[in-house]
Amino acid sequence: MIEKHIILEDVDPVMFYGANNAHLQMLKSLYPKLRINARGNVIRLLGDEEEMCAIEENIEKMRRHLLKYNSMTEEDILDIVKGKTTKADAVKGVIVYSISGRPVKSRSANQQRLVDAFGKDDMVFATGPAGTGKTYLSIALAVKALKEKQVKRIILSRPAVEAGEKLGFLPGDMKEKIDPYLQPLYDALEDMIPAVKLQDMMEKHIIQIAPLAFMRGRTLNDAIVILDEAQNTTTAQIKMFLTRMGWNTKMIVTGDMTQIDLPKNTRSGLGEALKILNGVEGISFVAMDEKDIVRHKLVTKIVKAFDTYNNESTDEN
């Protein structure tokens, strides 16, 4: 008889063991020649050498499955042990899976263009109205790259521009003043990475969320860097951001040119960058429209109504 210890890395042991240790009990029944015990993220195996080799390989496959899909069923475990393709593996075009196991994938032609552009070029500009999935899809691509160890960290940023309120009048310290502006980024991450794991990654600075001003002076290597709401940058700010790019880094810049909150007569840095960088090799531009909106169906109607009104107002002037 031999004994081995397996350490579960990067996954939640509670999810791995299943509700009431159901997955663990299933492993015990599938490998009757082994004594299997678990405490924390350590699985202790004792028994037959041949079964030991088989279960080691399958536990690693189960760990990778859970890391990729954020869920695992008893049916998945049986398929893995039998060497079959799981139902989740059979689904094509998925970027990542949400913490509930829902597949995150492109849902329109332009969203797929964003996915393809990210794979082809190191810098991508994605523009379009609210609800087209620019930010969410960009973060999904970043999470996938991090999980697959293509990069070492994710850096997310937004300009802290007021849309009606003044920062100085908001309660709390600087972090508490700025966090509301960054909340959409937190929301997307919390949908794709389990809470405990996300907190750990943020504490270790594997995932960083910061206002644009905090980017100055940095060189960003081995990272996926996303600048959200870039229409609210000045030309100087967006140039500063884009020139932070280091080795093995990809950047995605998202924005909506119809929702600029800059002071009157201040040019949008995103608008300027789209003109200046057009035609530069290695940079992709993806323009989304109301057909790409994936929120409530009323959002599409609202965007159309505002566009029609703005066009009519322009014609009258």
Side-chain angles (χ1 to χ4, degrees):
M1 290 212 315
I2 60 173
E3 179 176 344
K4 282 192 177 179
H5 291 185
I6 297 175
I7 299 174
L8 297 174
E9 295 181 348
D10 300 326
V11 295
D12 183 352
V14 175
M15 292 179 70
F16 187 93
Y17 301 144
N20 299 316
N21 287 331
H23 297 167
L24 202 59
Q25 296 304 321
M26 188 175 186
L27 282 176
K28 289 180 179 180
S29 66
L30 289 169
Y31 297 96
K33 295 180 182 179
L34 294 177
R35 285 177 58 189
I36 305 171
N37 294 298
R39 176 171 292 184
N41 68 336
V42 179
I43 300 174
R44 179 173 173 268
L45 306 171
L46 183 67
D48 181 75
E49 185 174 359
E50 187 176 341
E51 282 206 351
M52 185 84 72
C53 291
I55 197 173
E56 267 192 292
E57 184 178 340
N58 286 325
I59 284 175
E60 175 56 21
K61 288 179 181 177
M62 289 165 60
R63 187 194 70 80
R64 289 201 301 265
H65 180 95
L66 183 56
L67 182 64
K68 183 176 182 179
Y69 300 115
N70 282 323
S71 68
M72 185 166 62
T73 65
E74 293 183 9
E75 184 180 358
D76 292 330
I77 294 172
L78 278 176
D79 285 340
I80 289 168
V81 170
K82 291 177 181 178
K84 294 182 178 179
T85 300
T86 65
K87 283 184 178 179
D89 280 326
V91 179
K92 303 300 181 185
V94 177
I95 300 169
V96 293
Y97 284 77
S98 73
I99 58 172
S100 62
R102 176 179 58 81
V104 177
K105 57 197 297 189
S106 60
R107 295 170 64 182
S108 72
N110 284 327
Q111 285 193 358
Q112 186 57 46
R113 287 190 185 98
L114 172 54
V115 174
D116 294 340
F118 179 80
K120 179 172 70 78
D121 289 322
D122 288 341
M123 186 176 290
V124 181
F125 286 81
T127 57
T132 50
K134 307 180 298 295
T135 302
Y136 192 82
L137 204 61
S138 297
I139 291 176
L141 290 167
V143 170
K144 180 177 187 284
L146 186 66
K147 283 188 172 187
E148 294 178 354
K149 301 189 185 302
Q150 296 171 17
V151 294
K152 293 180 180 177
R153 54 186 175 157
I154 296 173
I155 300 168
L156 309 176
S157 187
R158 264 188 165 202
V161 174
E162 303 89 356
E165 315 101 85
K166 296 293 183 184
L167 276 172
F169 289 98
L170 293 175
D173 59 20
M174 182 54 73
K175 183 180 185 302
E176 290 168 329
K177 290 175 189 288
I178 289 170
D179 269 358
Y181 293 94
L182 306 175
Q183 192 57 49
L185 305 178
Y186 288 109
D187 290 344
L189 285 169
E190 287 168 354
D191 195 38
M192 300 178 207
I193 302 174
V196 175
K197 182 65 180 173
L198 178 58
Q199 183 64 35
D200 180 61
M201 293 172 97
M202 293 185 73
E203 287 175 358
K204 292 177 179 175
H205 301 292
I206 296 169
I207 294 178
Q208 302 171 32
I209 303 178
L212 181 58
F214 287 33
M215 296 294 108
R216 189 174 298 279
R218 301 180 66 184
T219 300
L220 307 175
N221 296 317
D222 283 315
I224 305 297
V225 189
I226 298 172
L227 175 60
D228 193 35
E229 299 287 357
Q231 76 276 2
N232 288 328
T233 61
T234 64
T235 303
Q237 285 175 326
I238 201 164
K239 180 184 177 185
M240 177 274 290
F241 173 81
L242 297 176
T243 54
R244 301 305 94 202
M245 193 175 195
W247 297 107
N248 191 37
T249 289
K250 282 180 176 271
M251 283 185 166
I252 306 178
V253 179
T254 70
D256 177 2
M257 292 303 295
T258 68
Q259 294 190 6
I260 299 172
D261 298 317
L262 291 167
K264 195 174 180 180
N265 299 323
T266 301
R267 287 184 177 181
S268 167
L270 176 59
E272 294 292 288
L274 294 175
K275 295 177 200 171
I276 294 166
L277 300 176
N278 186 31
V280 175
E281 188 177 351
I283 302 178
S284 285
F285 300 87
V286 180
M288 298 182 176
D289 54 38
E290 65 271 5
K291 294 191 293 294
D292 302 300
I293 292 173
V294 291
R295 291 180 184 168
H296 193 286
K297 59 185 179 182
L298 275 177
V299 175
T300 303
K301 295 178 181 179
I302 290 167
V303 170
K304 275 188 175 180
F306 271 91
D307 285 345
T308 302
Y309 175 81
N310 289 334
N311 290 335
E312 288 174 354
S313 298
T314 302
D315 292 340
E316 288 174 6
N317 293 331

